[in-house]
Amino acid sequence: MARKVVLWGMGEDYERLLNQIMFEIYKGNIIVEAVVCKKDDIFCSKRDGFQIVTKEDIHNIKFEYVLVTSSHHYIEIKNEAINEGVSEDRIIDASVFYLTFFDFERYANLIENPITIISDDCWGGFAYHQLKLPFFSPFINIDIDNKEYAKLLSDLNFFLNTELTMVREGNLREGTWPIARLGDDTRQVKLNLLHDVTFAEGKERWDRRKTRINPSNVFVKMRLSILDEDRAESISTFDSLHYKKILFYNGDEAINRKFITDRFIWRQNRLGQVENLIYSVYLMSAFRYDLDILRLLNGDETYSRYE
C-alpha cells in the first residue's frame, strides 16, 4: 500500500536521498505529494516531477507522513511541522532510507503498530536508535543475566506488572551501577541499570517507557553463549515463546542446526565467543551484516543475510 508523503527540504541531503526516494516510488511504497521549501527558495512550480510548496500550503495537501530530507536541520524542520499541525509520530528523519535493505512499507508498519523490543542487553536500544524510532520498551540500556532473563521470559506479563525496586544503589565514584529487581517475595529477577547513575534515574525511565509497551507487537531478543551453564534451560524457555524472536548463540552445531530450522539466527564460531568481542562490534555486526532488520522486526521468515 503506497503511503502519501511530503518531503521537507531540498538541499544537499535531498540530492543524496533522491535515488532512494525514487526507488520507493518505483516499488509502490510511497507517493510524493509535494516538497516543502522556504518561500525565498522557490523559483518554479515543480522539480524532479514533485510539486513545490511552502509550509503554509501543506494544510491543503493530503498526506500521511512528512519525510525530513535535511539531517542537519531535522529538529528545526520537525518543530516547524509540528507548529503547522503535523503529528510528531508522522515525522520521519529520511536518513533512515540509507539503511541496508530499507523498505518504507515495512518501516511504516513499525510506526503504525509500534514494535516493543524485549532485550537482555543494549541491542534493543541500538535497534531503535538505528531505525530512529521512539523507545516503545523499557528494556533500554539494561543488562540481564541469562538465567534471570530466562526466568523473566517464562512469565513476562507477571514481571512487567510488578514494581521496579532497588537492590543496590549506583556509585559513580566506585564505578558501580544501580541494580534493580522485578517480581514479588517468591519470584524475582535482577536487572543491571548500566547507563544510569542512580536508581531513581533508572526507575523514572523504566516507568515512563513501560507505559509505551505495545502488547500486540512484541519482539524478543536473547543472547546465549556456549559458556552459559544454564543454556539448555534458557534455550527451552526461549523456544517456547510465541512472540517474534531471535536468538544470538555461538554454541555447538547440533543446536545451531535446530535453530536454523526454526529460523533463528546464530552467532557462528568465526566471530569467537560473544564475551570476547568488543561490544560495539557485536551490536553492529548483528545489526548491519547478519540481518535484514526490517524483515526481522516485521516477522518475515527470510531475514538472515546468510540464507
Side-chain angles (χ1 to χ4, degrees):
M1 177 183 67
R3 271 86 168 179
K4 294 181 178 181
V5 305
V6 167
L7 310 180
W8 197 314
M10 201 172 258
E12 293 181 3
D13 286 336
Y14 168 86
E15 295 296 318
R16 287 190 285 265
L17 283 163
L18 188 56
N19 283 346
Q20 282 87 349
I21 291 168
M22 291 297 190
F23 187 43
E24 292 302 315
I25 294 173
Y26 171 77
K27 289 191 292 183
N29 286 342
I30 63 173
I31 298 171
V32 176
E33 295 294 326
V35 182
V36 178
C37 289
K38 293 181 179 179
K39 188 175 296 185
D40 294 341
D41 294 335
I42 298 179
F43 302 101
C44 56
S45 61
K46 284 190 175 183
R47 180 175 170 188
D48 302 321
F50 306 141
Q51 177 188 5
I52 300 176
V53 301
T54 65
K55 64 182 181 181
E56 290 80 12
D57 296 324
I58 65 173
H59 301 285
N60 303 317
I61 300 171
K62 292 183 179 180
F63 61 91
E64 295 167 85
Y65 292 99
V66 167
L67 305 183
V68 180
T69 48
S70 174
S71 292
H72 184 68
H73 297 289
Y74 173 73
I75 298 299
E76 175 188 343
I77 292 174
K78 176 182 175 181
N79 290 333
E80 284 187 74
I82 291 172
N83 289 337
E84 295 298 329
V86 180
S87 176
E88 184 175 356
D89 64 352
R90 295 294 158 145
I91 303 171
I92 297 173
D93 184 341
S95 64
V96 295
F97 278 54
Y98 292 129
L99 291 172
T100 305
F101 297 117
F102 180 80
D103 181 84
F104 190 80
E105 181 178 3
R106 294 190 180 95
Y107 188 77
N109 288 341
L110 300 182
I111 296 175
E112 293 161 13
N113 186 19
I115 186 80
T116 290
I117 300 175
I118 309 298
S119 179
D120 51 354
D121 58 20
C122 295
W123 187 88
F126 186 83
Y128 282 118
H129 273 302
Q130 291 293 304
L131 292 169
K132 301 186 185 302
L133 292 173
F135 295 150
F136 278 90
S137 170
F139 291 88
I140 306 297
N141 296 329
I142 290 174
D143 184 83
I144 311 175
D145 174 78
N146 284 125
K147 187 174 182 178
E148 298 284 292
Y149 193 53
K151 191 191 304 182
L152 174 80
L153 295 178
S154 69
D155 199 347
L156 186 59
N157 289 332
F158 163 74
F159 286 108
L160 287 178
N161 283 313
T162 63
E163 187 78 9
L164 188 74
T165 58
M166 185 173 68
V167 174
R168 184 189 75 185
E169 182 59 283
N171 189 313
L172 193 59
R173 291 180 179 274
E174 296 178 2
T176 57
W177 53 83
I179 298 177
R181 68 176 163 227
L182 294 170
D184 55 24
D185 293 337
T186 59
R187 288 183 294 171
Q188 298 181 1
V189 294
K190 293 181 181 178
L191 293 73
N192 295 293
L193 311 183
L194 295 183
H195 293 259
D196 296 305
V197 177
T198 66
F199 170 76
E201 178 182 277
K203 179 172 170 53
E204 188 278 329
R205 291 176 178 173
W206 173 273
D207 290 343
R208 172 164 42 87
R209 292 165 179 167
K210 181 178 164 183
T211 62
R212 304 175 190 162
I213 290 175
N214 179 14
S216 68
N217 195 12
V218 173
F219 181 90
V220 175
K221 174 265 173 193
M222 183 178 186
R223 75 180 188 274
L224 190 63
S225 169
I226 196 172
L227 301 179
D228 295 316
E229 295 180 359
D230 300 299
R231 60 186 179 277
E233 180 180 347
S234 297
I235 288 173
S236 176
T237 298
F238 185 82
D239 197 15
S240 67
L241 297 176
H242 297 294
Y243 302 111
K244 292 180 289 186
K245 56 191 175 182
I246 189 170
L247 173 70
F248 293 99
Y249 183 59
N250 64 335
D252 59 75
E253 289 302 315
I255 295 296
N256 281 344
R257 283 195 296 273
K258 167 181 169 50
F259 283 100
I260 293 170
T261 302
D262 289 344
R263 300 186 181 92
F264 303 143
I265 200 167
W266 66 102
R267 302 303 300 162
Q268 294 179 338
N269 289 330
R270 63 184 174 81
L271 292 178
Q273 301 297 334
V274 169
E275 289 80 4
N276 295 332
L277 293 175
I278 299 173
Y279 199 66
S280 62
V281 174
Y282 154 61
L283 292 176
M284 288 189 294
S285 177
F287 187 92
R288 294 182 182 174
Y289 309 125
D290 291 348
L291 306 171
D292 181 333
I293 190 66
L294 289 177
R295 283 183 177 273
L296 174 68
L297 295 181
N298 272 275
D300 292 0
E301 295 180 351
T302 54
Y303 58 78
S304 172
R305 296 178 63 183
Y306 292 110
E307 293 180 354

